[in-house]
Amino acid sequence: MIELNEISKTYTTQSGRHHVLDHISLTIQRGDKLGILGRNGAGKSTLIRILSGIEPPTSGRVTRRMTISWPLAFAGGFQGSLTGIDNFKFISRVYGIDYRSKLDFVDDFSELGKFMREPVKRYSSGMRARLAFAISMAIEFDCYLIDEVSAVGDSRFREKCENELFLKRGDRTMIIVSHQPEQIRQHCNRFCVLEKGKIINFDKADSAYDYYAQWQ
């Protein structure tokens, strides 16, 4: 189970304090496929970063009783002067796995070839995302955090990613944030809308879409 209890997030800007999340409470059970709709700037990525532990809330508490991935394709944690392989070695040590058992998978899945042995600072944003997704699939989690399903690579690579994630790991908990309703409908069985810092729960996808459409 993952439980958010009165989560708020506020940033200080030049024009004053900006409230992104406002006392959000939410419970995600093991096996849930939760879709969170929200327009650009609604705070979806902020919520995902807080769930993953990358960013702390301003107030409130997150209780995690399952292992949670970083946001898929998030490459912000790479050390630029290290190669792709060395970054994978480091992440493997953090999560307590033997990198040698998964290196062939990461090499093959990322399709980076010789660039796996080049410093990550020389990668394009797309190459970083490929490496991040490949490592995310190499390290198993109970819950996967997905910030926009189709954010990685070209259409062929996206299809490969979706097969690896949604078919091979269909029993896992997933939290998907998106502003594209069709992605939520395809992959989720629970539905929320994030708007004005609040989470609104819906029993059916169509109800969530109708509410979301008001804020387009």
Side-chain angles (χ1 to χ4, degrees):
M1 182 181 73
I2 304 167
E3 187 174 16
L4 283 71
N5 185 18
E6 294 290 312
I7 294 295
S8 293
K9 185 65 180 181
T10 302
Y11 295 100
T12 300
T13 68
Q14 292 183 355
S15 58
R17 294 177 69 80
H18 176 58
H19 300 279
V20 179
L21 304 176
D22 184 13
H23 295 91
I24 287 177
S25 294
L26 186 65
T27 300
I28 300 106
Q29 301 290 348
R30 192 174 293 271
D32 279 351
K33 307 291 189 294
L34 174 64
I36 303 175
L37 285 164
R39 61 185 174 80
N40 289 331
K44 304 185 304 298
S45 295
T46 299
L47 180 58
I48 282 287
R49 290 196 300 271
I50 289 173
L51 280 163
S52 70
I54 291 172
E55 187 170 341
T58 303
S59 63
R61 184 177 71 254
V62 181
T63 302
R64 304 172 181 88
R65 295 192 176 94
M66 62 178 82
T67 58
I68 305 175
S69 77
W70 54 84
L72 296 195
F74 174 75
F78 289 145
Q79 213 292 325
S81 62
L82 296 179
T83 67
I85 290 176
D86 287 337
N87 270 282
F88 178 49
K89 288 180 181 178
F90 176 77
I91 292 169
S92 296
R93 285 197 296 272
V94 170
Y95 286 92
I97 71 167
D98 181 357
Y99 82 92
R100 291 168 295 188
S101 67
K102 299 287 188 176
L103 182 56
D104 286 346
F105 171 86
V106 172
D107 196 6
D108 178 67
F109 194 93
S110 67
E111 301 176 3
L112 291 173
K114 64 182 181 181
F115 291 102
M116 281 290 290
R117 291 156 180 81
E118 293 291 331
V120 168
K121 64 185 177 184
R122 297 178 184 171
Y123 287 16
S124 67
S125 59
M127 292 166 70
R128 282 175 170 253
R130 284 175 179 246
L131 178 61
F133 196 96
I135 294 174
S136 299
M137 295 296 97
I139 301 173
E140 299 291 341
F141 296 98
D142 299 321
C143 175
Y144 287 93
L145 303 177
I146 305 160
D147 192 349
E148 300 292 347
V149 174
S150 60
V152 183
D154 57 24
S155 59
R156 182 196 59 80
F157 193 79
R158 289 198 298 270
E159 183 178 353
K160 177 179 173 180
C161 291
E162 293 197 16
N163 179 70
E164 189 70 29
L165 179 60
F166 295 114
L167 293 183
K168 295 185 179 180
R169 292 166 178 79
D171 61 331
R172 311 299 171 84
T173 305
M174 296 184 188
I175 302 171
I176 304 173
V177 299
S178 181
H179 64 273
Q180 299 184 30
E182 64 273 13
Q183 294 181 343
I184 300 298
R185 182 190 294 275
Q186 181 180 359
H187 297 295
C188 298
N189 56 20
R190 287 184 58 192
F191 311 95
C192 297
V193 176
L194 178 60
E195 183 59 38
K196 294 186 176 180
K198 299 288 189 180
I199 280 279
I200 303 95
N201 293 285
F202 295 90
D203 294 330
K204 297 181 180 179
D206 288 344
S207 299
Y209 301 154
D210 290 345
Y211 184 88
Y212 170 70
Q214 300 177 38
W215 304 101
Q216 291 295 307

